[in-house]
Amino acid sequence: MMSGPRVLPLLLAAVIGPSLVHAAKPAGVFVAEDDAALVLSDRSWLPGAQLLVRGGDAEGPAAARQLPAFDAIVSGAAQRHALPSSLLHAVISAESRYAPQAVSPKGAMGLMQLMPATARALGIARPFDPAQNIEGGARYLRHLLDEFAGDLSLALAAYNAGPAAVHRHGRRVPPYAETRAYVPRVLAHMARLDAAPAAPATAP
């Protein structure tokens, strides 16, 4: 079994793709720990495995229906910052479930749950405006990916827990329950979006 901070993105194609996406009725996505790294699998019998996504779930039907609502904004931000649109949609789904006015108990705001200090540093004057919020979140994700040499699992961990926490724990996903659940959840939803058939083009 592979270990290390890059295990999550490398396992997505091998585990999520053939085992879960193409299975008729997958049991679900399970997360387990191996040598301090998080491992996604469809195997519930792995030591310490916990159910992350139940088979057939797709971040909930309400979130799935909301995906096209901000598609043009997401696509534009993704293109400007060289990110997959599926990544931004997965983060939005995990952070706010597509609620533009969402505010967390810690004060994070909007679709991508930008903290006030982060929004100010990114030059986001109206964090509840969907276009500005998504632009700021995309810019921040691009910065984190560059900071962590393209390691998506570490960038997502930093998005959730802060980059200082990732550095403090030896450039590994910090051992926080919320972060340990957040990273594979976003990656699993991203993989489902990438595997989903493209929506049919509408007639002009």
Side-chain angles (χ1 to χ4, degrees):
M1 187 176 292
M2 300 176 64
S3 63
R6 295 182 184 274
V7 66
L8 285 171
L10 292 175
L11 279 178
L12 283 174
V15 174
I16 299 296
S19 299
L20 300 177
V21 173
H22 299 298
K25 291 184 178 180
V29 182
F30 295 85
V31 60
E33 186 169 328
D34 178 52
D35 294 334
L38 298 179
V39 178
L40 290 178
S41 178
D42 59 348
R43 301 171 183 175
S44 60
W45 46 262
L46 287 174
Q50 298 181 23
L51 181 64
L52 181 68
V53 180
R54 190 175 304 280
D57 285 356
E59 288 294 293
R65 287 195 300 270
Q66 287 291 333
L67 189 149
F70 304 104
D71 201 41
I73 300 173
V74 167
S75 296
Q79 185 174 10
R80 283 190 296 277
H81 298 286
L83 299 169
S85 294
S86 58
L87 171 61
L88 298 185
H89 275 298
V91 169
I92 291 169
S93 181
E95 291 287 348
S96 68
R97 298 186 72 80
Y98 290 89
Q101 300 300 316
V103 180
S104 79
K106 294 182 179 180
M109 302 173 288
L111 290 167
M112 298 192 72
Q113 290 290 275
L114 300 177
M115 292 297 291
T118 303
R120 286 194 298 270
L122 294 167
I124 303 303
R126 298 192 304 276
F128 293 107
D129 175 77
Q132 288 201 23
N133 190 281
I134 291 172
E135 175 67 21
R139 195 184 312 161
Y140 188 42
L141 278 170
R142 178 73 265 164
H143 168 77
L144 293 173
L145 278 166
D146 293 342
E147 181 172 348
F148 292 103
D151 191 316
L152 183 52
S153 62
L154 293 186
L156 288 170
Y159 195 93
N160 177 260
V166 176
H167 287 295
R168 190 166 60 247
H169 289 89
R171 292 175 69 91
R172 286 176 174 266
V173 177
Y176 308 147
E178 178 184 332
T179 307
R180 288 293 180 98
Y182 176 86
V183 172
R185 179 185 176 193
V186 172
L187 291 171
H189 190 40
M190 181 182 173
R192 284 193 297 266
L193 292 175
D194 286 336
T202 57

